[in-house]
Amino acid sequence: MTVERPARASVPISSFEFWPGWLFYIPVVAYWLWLGLRFRGFTLPTAANPRVETGGLCGESKSSILDQAGPEASAWIAPYVRMVTGENDLARAQALLSGAKLSLPVVVKPDIGCNGTGVRRADSVQALADALAAFPRDVTILLQELIPFEGEAGIFYVRHPGQENGRVTSLTLKIAPRIVGDGRSTIRELVLADERSGRIPDIYLPRLAGRQDEVLPAGVGMTLVFAGNHCKGSIFLDGHRDITDALERRIDAIMRDIPDFHFGRIDVKFRSISALRAGESFGIIEINGVGSEATHIWDSTTTLAKAYRDQLWHYRQAFEIGAAMRRRGCRPTGPFALLAAWRNQRRLMRSYPLND
């Protein structure tokens, strides 16, 4: 079923959308340090989701969050199995999928990671074998059912301890960029001619190695990225107008069924905008903790002032929630443990294959 898409923004790329991370996050880091002084704890947000390693700030296992889901939440999460790469990968993966009554296509993703790194789609046995072989040995990965919906969104959720209900504070609609063949131009030429991808070709072309000189037939479309991540090239649109009471009630019911989860982003695939607004016909592919951000800021029409204002507001909530949980006896992750988790995540991500 085709998803009704919002109009693509008239501005292909904002002035700051692809700034180097170290530059964009200078005010965010400065504000974080100020909050750390104000709340007497630089790692205090890690207590916001105390049952998740580091609160989900970095280095956490994706499956460890999903595993905590109760019956209400589990019904909305795309089924998955977990395995460690090694000998006889393909046979073990097929046995795990069969045991869980899952079939191809599936999404192969690392259990620890971020920004869509290493996420691959496997539609066939050969594609599954290739995806498994691309990962280093002794790495934990997930094989997750591919939700057959075109739409994708990131939904940010905040609930302060003691509050009966949480809020949806951000909704981001994600669009996979596409090129369409004319029967003459190569894939590389089509990428360079596009008003958006032509400005950031280094994000797309490495993923197309071996196909850049291929000529697409006239009218044939090609999706440039599978992983719904901004830094991997997906187009993000601010979907705040599609936050409804029905959607907020549904997300709140789901997230309250994950013990002590108060702050983070839920990534979903959905059938249609109208169904999403009604809080129906979607599936959860991932739940992220305090290391996630309200990604609507990457809409190309968002101003820099609004991006910073929304970022800082959310991190203030993380500190306030962490402070409330600390008063309840939850201890934030210590700086050395946090550094170790970050270093482990960085080490693993350097070993992962290029995402689809």
Side-chain angles (χ1 to χ4, degrees):
M1 180 179 294
T2 301
V3 173
E4 62 269 29
R5 289 293 194 187
R8 185 164 161 172
S10 58
V11 180
I13 294 178
S14 74
S15 60
F16 62 89
E17 197 174 346
F18 288 97
W19 280 3
W22 66 264
L23 177 60
F24 176 80
Y25 287 101
I26 287 175
V28 177
V29 171
Y31 188 63
W32 185 289
L33 294 175
W34 182 86
L35 289 172
L37 292 172
R38 166 69 176 78
F39 286 92
R40 296 178 293 106
F42 294 106
T43 66
L44 188 57
T46 62
N49 304 318
R51 303 195 190 208
V52 179
E53 183 181 3
T54 75
L57 183 58
C58 66
E60 79 282 6
S61 157
K62 299 179 189 299
S63 61
S64 71
I65 302 177
L66 301 178
D67 287 347
Q68 296 179 46
E72 170 75 18
S74 295
W76 295 88
I77 295 172
Y80 60 92
V81 294
R82 178 174 47 238
M83 67 174 284
V84 178
T85 57
E87 297 296 323
N88 303 314
D89 273 351
L90 181 59
R92 290 190 297 116
Q94 289 177 310
L96 284 169
L97 291 173
S98 176
K101 295 182 171 54
L102 296 176
S103 59
L104 299 176
V106 296
V107 177
V108 182
K109 64 173 73 172
D111 192 34
I112 295 176
C114 64
N115 296 333
T117 303
V119 175
R120 311 287 290 268
R121 173 173 172 162
D123 291 275
S124 65
V125 172
Q126 185 59 55
L128 177 59
D130 292 344
L132 294 171
F135 280 90
R137 303 300 83 188
D138 298 317
V139 167
T140 303
I141 61 173
L142 303 182
L143 310 177
Q144 188 173 45
E145 179 182 77
L146 177 68
I147 298 176
F149 296 154
E150 182 183 353
E152 187 168 347
I155 303 171
F156 212 94
Y157 175 79
V158 175
R159 180 172 65 87
H160 285 257
Q163 288 184 339
E164 182 177 354
N165 301 112
R167 297 173 53 200
V168 171
T169 60
S170 168
L171 175 63
T172 305
L173 303 175
K174 306 179 181 183
I175 297 178
R178 289 173 59 83
I179 53 175
V180 179
D182 58 12
R184 303 182 307 276
S185 303
T186 64
I187 290 174
R188 177 182 176 83
E189 290 169 339
L190 291 170
V191 168
L192 294 176
D194 183 79
E195 61 177 355
R196 179 178 172 90
S197 64
R199 301 191 187 192
I200 45 175
D202 290 347
I203 291 180
Y204 301 106
L205 291 179
R207 195 177 296 113
L208 302 172
R211 297 196 63 188
Q212 293 185 23
D213 295 327
E214 179 182 330
V215 175
L216 282 185
V220 173
M222 178 180 179
T223 300
L224 296 180
V225 61
F226 169 68
N229 188 274
H230 171 260
C231 68
K232 296 298 188 291
S234 287
I235 300 168
F236 282 13
L237 299 179
D238 186 349
H240 73 274
R241 295 180 182 83
D242 295 309
I243 299 174
T244 63
D245 290 342
L247 176 61
E248 195 163 58
R249 285 194 301 270
R250 178 70 71 191
I251 294 299
D252 185 48
I254 291 170
M255 299 313 295
R256 283 191 287 109
D257 199 34
I258 299 178
D260 293 324
F261 192 96
H262 299 99
F263 182 95
R265 191 186 67 243
I266 305 99
D267 293 330
V268 306
K269 300 280 284 186
F270 60 90
R271 184 183 297 277
S272 66
I273 295 290
S274 57
L276 185 66
R277 288 173 59 87
E280 301 292 345
S281 299
F282 67 84
I284 296 172
I285 56 179
E286 196 164 300
I287 298 174
N288 305 276
V290 295
S292 55
E293 63 184 5
T295 50
H296 70 270
I297 66 169
W298 302 118
D299 185 309
S300 63
T301 62
T302 301
T303 65
L304 183 60
K306 177 174 172 53
Y308 281 136
R309 184 168 61 250
D310 291 354
Q311 281 272 65
L312 302 187
W313 183 87
H314 278 89
Y315 287 127
R316 174 74 184 221
Q317 307 311 301
F319 271 89
E320 290 180 353
I321 293 170
M325 295 303 291
R326 181 174 59 186
R327 290 192 294 271
R328 296 184 174 204
C330 297
R331 298 182 60 183
T333 304
F336 293 109
L338 187 62
L339 177 61
W342 176 79
R343 292 180 65 181
N344 182 55
Q345 177 175 285
R346 294 280 293 179
R347 176 186 62 82
L348 287 170
M349 289 178 63
R350 285 194 295 267
S351 72
Y352 295 154
L354 195 65
N355 66 285
D356 283 342

